[in-house]
Amino acid sequence: MLSQYIISQVVNGLCQGFIYALIALGFAVIVGIVGLATFTHGEIIMIGAYASYYIFLACGHNLILGLLASFSASWIVGIIIYKLCYERFLEAPEHISLICTIGFSMLLKNLAQIVFGAEKKPMLNVIENQIYKFGPVEISKVQFVIMGTVIVLSTTMMIIFNKTKWGIALRSVSQNREAAALVGINVKQTSMIGNCIGCAMAGVAGMLIGIYYQSISPTMGATLSMKAFSAATLGGLTSVPLSSLGGVVLGLIENLGISISTASFRDVFSFGFLIIMLIFKPTGFVKRKGARP
Amino acid sequence: MLKVENLVVNYGYISALRGISFEVKEGEIITLIGANGAGKTTTLVSVSNLIKKESGKVIFKSQDITQTPPHKIVKMGMCHVPEGRKIFPELTVYENMISGTFGNPALSKEKINQLIEKQFTLFPRLKERRNQAGGTLSGGEQQMLAIARGLMMDPDIIMLDEPSLGLAPIIVEEIFELILRIRENGKTILLIEQNASMSLSIADRGYVLENGVVTLTGTGKELLVNEEVKKAYLGA
Ligand SMILES: Nc1ncnc2c1ncn2[C@@H]1O[C@H](COP(=O)(O)OP(=O)(O)O)[C@@H](O)[C@H]1O
Ligand SMILES: [Mg+2]
């Protein structure tokens, strides 16, 4: 049943890709609005995963509570990162804040090993095992919930960005900080909110990853953040829709790749994609809406 | 309405402003003229507190705003249309205009709609292009958008930094006519220009800036016929 196998790999790839997409779009929001890159994204994913883990332990299988926990925990860490790594360095050369985020990521990773323990923790079975069949396509309930969550979150975010005054403020800051200040926007506060939105997306993705793999660990974020970075290169690091597309493409490439090789090659395919992007199209495929030819 | 006293600003070792004072009274059009590099832009950005001042004082509506953060100054009713327009290129014309209303949280929805209509009558070309990305407009249209964005906050004073920069003469004339109409609508105007003849001809009073100091001041008419001004700025 080769075709059956391919179909199920496509479904797996899509599901994984949706999670990557959520991480990558969070990354793109941060880079776009704060204007500085982050190396703490992976640890935010981990914080989000642990937040939901403890909520599930304490309150049982309540997905909504878990989601709120990972969302708010990573939002709060987003505030801390902004205050520590960005706010005072907005005018400084970019590498200063970049190094700061690297340092903070190490701190978080090691603190997590002390506080949560260095070993992997098994995530509870929050969603019961159930398979839905659509013709030849089989989707598990877990995959369904994951994709649904990503779609709802990213659509909500897109609506906020494109249809509300809040969104206009966020996009103004990402396009010209000085002009944003001159129309009365509190640029520092707005950048912080942008940073927190991006972190919250990664935090929720952390919960989804935990549920999908049924295991979490303090170091789970490292490769994931690199994958988000790979996905975001598709949109020149700042385009939200293209980063999401990049995430989905990455998930598909990985899962189709391992179906013709072995599962241990998973990362070869995603980082191969990154290398190809960086060699041939380092600026991504983004077409600036406001650019005059 | 706006009073600047002894403003001193340095960029590292370069001193850009060496003690500038001027005053803008309600309802006036005041112009600061000066050659490239005289310190005109620096004066405006330090009034808006976008850069650090060495010393000096800025008083706006009898309040000391020397150390007030830029977004709070805006909310007090001061609008600064920056050099080089600086519209938001990826926001539509309409969104750019809405962004101006952040500067005035007191505006009601109705008032915002009224203001939009008002700007569209003042700048009919923006109405035609309301859903176009700001960055796709021509230079003159971008300048109009920058001014319209500023007027959307319904400010008491509007400070314009070289609105004629890089525009064709016919567009420049249009912009200056608009500035007069904006004053008729009850706004106070601080106009910064290299184009001395145009700006002096519409200004009540003017200040001449050279190397970071005010060297001359007088009414627009006085300065227009002043020999030194004529020689240095009017090409006579
Ligand atoms: N960011 C900056 N760094 C260093 N020097 C600057 C900077 N901006 C302006 N200057 C210098 O300050 C002086 C005044 O500049 P500016 O205010 O832009 O003049 P104007 O607007 O009248 O053309 C000039 O000598 C200019 O070279
Ligand atoms: Mg200038």
Side-chain angles (χ1 to χ4, degrees):
Chain A
M1 285 315 287
L2 188 65
S3 67
Q4 190 67 46
Y5 177 64
I6 297 288
I7 289 174
S8 80
Q9 281 304 350
V10 168
V11 172
N12 292 345
L14 275 179
C15 181
Q16 194 136 28
F18 269 56
I19 302 179
Y20 292 163
L22 194 58
I23 306 174
L25 75 86
F27 186 80
V29 168
I30 294 173
V31 177
I33 292 174
V34 183
L36 297 165
T38 173
F39 276 110
T40 323
H41 215 49
E43 281 55 56
I44 300 288
I45 299 171
M46 178 267 295
I47 298 278
Y50 274 93
S52 61
Y53 171 83
Y54 284 110
I55 283 292
F56 292 146
L57 270 192
C59 309
H61 301 181
N62 192 326
L63 195 69
I64 301 290
L65 276 185
L67 193 141
L68 287 177
S70 47
F71 190 96
S72 28
S74 40
W75 185 285
I76 291 166
V77 180
I79 296 178
I80 299 171
I81 293 177
Y82 185 80
K83 294 280 178 202
L84 281 181
C85 306
Y86 295 134
E87 190 169 85
R88 272 170 300 162
F89 305 123
L90 288 173
E91 250 84 299
E94 285 177 10
H95 62 265
I96 308 249
S97 57
L98 202 66
I99 290 169
C100 225
T101 65
I102 295 176
F104 194 66
S105 113
M106 289 179 189
L107 177 72
L108 281 182
K109 214 178 319 190
N110 289 290
L111 268 182
Q113 296 191 347
I114 296 168
V115 177
F116 306 137
E119 75 285 358
K120 284 192 170 161
K121 286 207 184 335
M123 195 74 152
L124 297 182
N125 238 341
V126 186
I127 300 160
E128 72 264 32
N129 258 326
Q130 202 174 327
I131 306 277
Y132 301 105
K133 282 201 167 100
F134 303 93
V137 183
E138 288 184 359
I139 302 182
S140 71
K141 188 168 179 189
V142 174
Q143 290 176 325
F144 219 74
V145 170
I146 287 175
M147 294 202 249
T149 310
V150 173
I151 289 172
V152 169
L153 269 181
S154 50
T155 324
T156 313
M157 210 193 73
M158 289 300 248
I159 291 173
I160 291 177
F161 268 62
N162 291 316
K163 300 278 177 238
T164 67
K165 266 187 92 163
W166 244 48
I168 295 181
L170 286 161
R171 283 184 291 148
S172 305
V173 168
S174 81
Q175 288 171 39
N176 194 322
R177 307 176 76 83
E178 189 182 288
L182 288 181
V183 295
I185 295 172
N186 185 341
V187 174
K188 283 188 174 171
Q189 191 190 324
T190 308
S191 314
M192 186 176 86
I193 290 171
N195 189 51
C196 290
I197 294 176
C199 287
M201 296 298 129
V204 174
M207 174 188 82
L208 298 178
I209 290 269
I211 293 175
Y212 200 39
Y213 290 140
Q214 300 208 337
S215 116
I216 60 175
S217 76
T219 51
M220 65 188 280
T223 39
L224 288 171
S225 69
M226 283 311 293
K227 284 178 189 172
F229 182 79
S230 315
T233 55
L234 201 64
L237 296 189
T238 56
S239 157
V240 169
L242 279 177
S243 300
S244 321
L245 179 67
V248 176
V249 168
L250 214 60
L252 285 173
I253 290 178
E254 276 188 5
N255 280 276
L256 292 176
I258 61 175
S259 67
I260 55 164
S261 57
T262 74
S264 51
F265 278 5
R266 178 182 290 281
D267 295 347
V268 173
F269 293 103
S270 44
F271 295 131
F273 173 83
L274 172 63
I275 291 168
I276 290 171
M277 272 305 294
L278 290 181
I279 291 175
F280 293 106
K281 196 77 182 156
T283 52
F285 291 98
V286 71
K287 192 172 160 290
R288 290 267 159 229
K289 199 168 128 204
R292 274 164 73 91
Chain B
M1 172 165 285
L2 174 67
K3 201 165 177 189
V4 171
E5 290 168 10
N6 268 316
L7 212 53
V8 177
V9 174
N10 300 329
Y11 292 107
Y13 296 112
I14 305 167
S15 67
L17 301 184
R18 299 181 287 167
I20 286 193
S21 305
F22 62 89
E23 192 179 355
V24 186
K25 299 203 188 85
E26 192 165 348
E28 279 186 318
I29 297 185
I30 296 299
T31 184
L32 294 182
I33 58 171
N36 205 358
K40 304 181 298 297
T41 299
T42 307
T43 306
L44 273 206
V45 292
S46 51
V47 167
S48 290
N49 202 12
L50 289 169
I51 53 166
K52 232 179 121 249
K53 305 178 228 359
E54 204 61 40
S55 63
K57 220 172 172 186
V58 184
I59 313 281
F60 179 52
K61 295 202 223 168
S62 336
Q63 285 187 51
D64 188 335
I65 57 160
T66 316
Q67 302 301 339
T68 312
H71 67 274
K72 290 200 176 137
I73 295 182
V74 174
K75 291 190 170 120
M76 292 171 66
M78 180 188 288
C79 160
H80 174 171
V81 180
E83 182 173 31
R85 356 252 188 244
K86 302 210 168 102
I87 53 145
F88 303 115
E90 290 176 51
L91 298 189
T92 63
V93 166
Y94 179 78
E95 288 171 335
N96 263 286
M97 288 168 70
I98 289 294
S99 78
T101 63
F102 289 117
N104 190 348
L107 293 174
S108 66
K109 227 178 173 133
E110 278 158 51
K111 180 77 185 161
I112 289 177
N113 288 334
Q114 278 173 18
L115 281 167
I116 295 249
E117 283 314 313
K118 209 163 151 187
Q119 310 320 324
F120 281 158
T121 19
L122 209 52
F123 311 93
R125 281 199 247 174
L126 295 182
K127 188 171 188 173
E128 293 159 29
R129 291 168 174 68
R130 58 181 287 160
N131 293 320
Q132 212 170 305
T136 63
L137 301 183
S138 73
E141 289 161 354
Q142 290 195 14
Q143 186 61 56
M144 290 176 194
L145 179 55
I147 298 175
R149 179 180 67 183
L151 289 172
M152 282 302 292
M153 60 187 76
D154 202 12
D156 301 315
I157 186 170
I158 175 160
M159 313 193 294
L160 303 162
D161 194 342
E162 294 210 43
S164 72
L165 192 72
L167 300 182
I170 186 165
I171 310 282
V172 173
E173 251 173 68
E174 203 177 327
I175 300 262
F176 276 87
E177 269 162 36
L178 283 164
I179 295 174
L180 280 173
R181 283 185 60 189
I182 292 165
R183 194 254 295 264
E184 280 163 28
N185 289 343
K187 308 282 181 220
T188 305
I189 292 165
L190 176 57
L191 173 63
I192 296 231
E193 265 298 341
Q194 268 192 72
N195 188 336
S197 60
M198 280 293 247
S199 55
L200 286 176
S201 63
I202 66 165
D204 299 310
R205 289 185 297 120
Y207 294 82
V208 179
L209 219 59
E210 269 172 48
N211 292 322
V213 284
V214 173
T215 52
L216 259 179
T217 163
T219 65
K221 286 202 188 80
E222 281 166 12
L223 291 176
L224 264 179
V225 297
N226 181 293
E227 286 306 320
E228 284 169 53
V229 175
K230 270 189 179 164
K231 240 196 343 237
Y233 303 103
L234 303 176

